[in-house]
Amino acid sequence: MLKRSRRHSRRRPMSDINVVPYIDVMLVLLVIFMVTAPLITQGVKVNLPQARAGGIPSPTVASVVISIDQVGDFYLDVGQDKHLPVTDKTLYDRIRTVLENNRETPVLVRADSEVNYGRVVRAMVVAQAAGAPNVGLITAPPARREP
């Protein structure tokens, strides 16, 4: 009789995992990333021209973006000092280095709407001379008009 009472007094181990604390931690991290992500983004202030164009598929590798500000200075998102203007020679050298490592890297030009068209063409020519088979342009979608 003693053996029998011991058997009934034992409880089976609980096999469920309490996921509520994990969800709480995940939500806190989500809020932290949502708040800090816009602060981390750095770049050159460019007023993009607005145009209706079809989207391009997301590239499988990171793209090289040449930015041209309102004054006409070139900026490149590759290498150190991304927020400092670069010369044509530096632009050529950095793009060439990236394309030597990965020939499939897309090259995109992001120019201010007020910049001289000749500067945009110059950036495209330098990128093609560095070995880019295709150079794309980045535009902003047109603002929606409310009726």
Side-chain angles (χ1 to χ4, degrees):
M1 211 157 173
L2 267 178
K3 282 188 172 183
R4 190 167 205 186
S5 64
R6 273 190 182 167
R7 265 191 219 157
H8 290 305
S9 67
R10 284 188 187 173
R11 292 187 178 175
R12 299 179 90 189
M14 189 172 158
S15 63
D16 294 334
I17 297 175
N18 188 4
V19 294
V20 173
Y22 299 116
I23 294 172
D24 291 344
V25 169
M26 201 169 55
L27 290 174
V28 168
L29 289 174
L30 177 68
V31 169
I32 289 171
F33 287 126
M34 286 174 57
V35 169
T36 58
L39 301 177
I40 293 173
T41 305
Q42 294 179 345
V44 179
K45 178 70 173 150
V46 175
N47 183 18
L48 291 175
Q50 296 182 352
R52 185 176 307 270
I56 58 173
S58 296
T60 56
V61 294
S63 58
V64 174
V65 178
I66 305 168
S67 298
I68 307 171
D69 65 4
Q70 190 173 11
V71 179
D73 291 333
F74 296 138
Y75 298 86
L76 193 62
D77 69 341
V78 174
Q80 296 177 344
D81 301 326
K82 297 176 184 177
H83 61 282
L84 295 177
V86 295
T87 63
D88 290 7
K89 173 85 170 107
T90 306
L91 186 67
Y92 174 85
D93 291 340
R94 288 186 185 170
I95 293 173
R96 183 101 175 140
T97 303
V98 169
L99 292 175
E100 284 175 356
N101 292 329
N102 187 353
R103 190 87 179 118
E104 300 299 317
T105 303
V107 178
L108 304 171
V109 177
R110 193 177 137 236
D112 192 281
S113 62
E114 301 296 321
V115 75
N116 182 344
Y117 184 68
R119 292 300 287 169
V120 176
V121 171
R122 180 69 187 150
M124 295 174 78
V125 167
V126 170
Q128 287 181 336
N134 297 316
V135 180
L137 296 173
I138 298 175
T139 62
R144 288 189 170 189
R145 295 183 191 171
E146 293 189 31

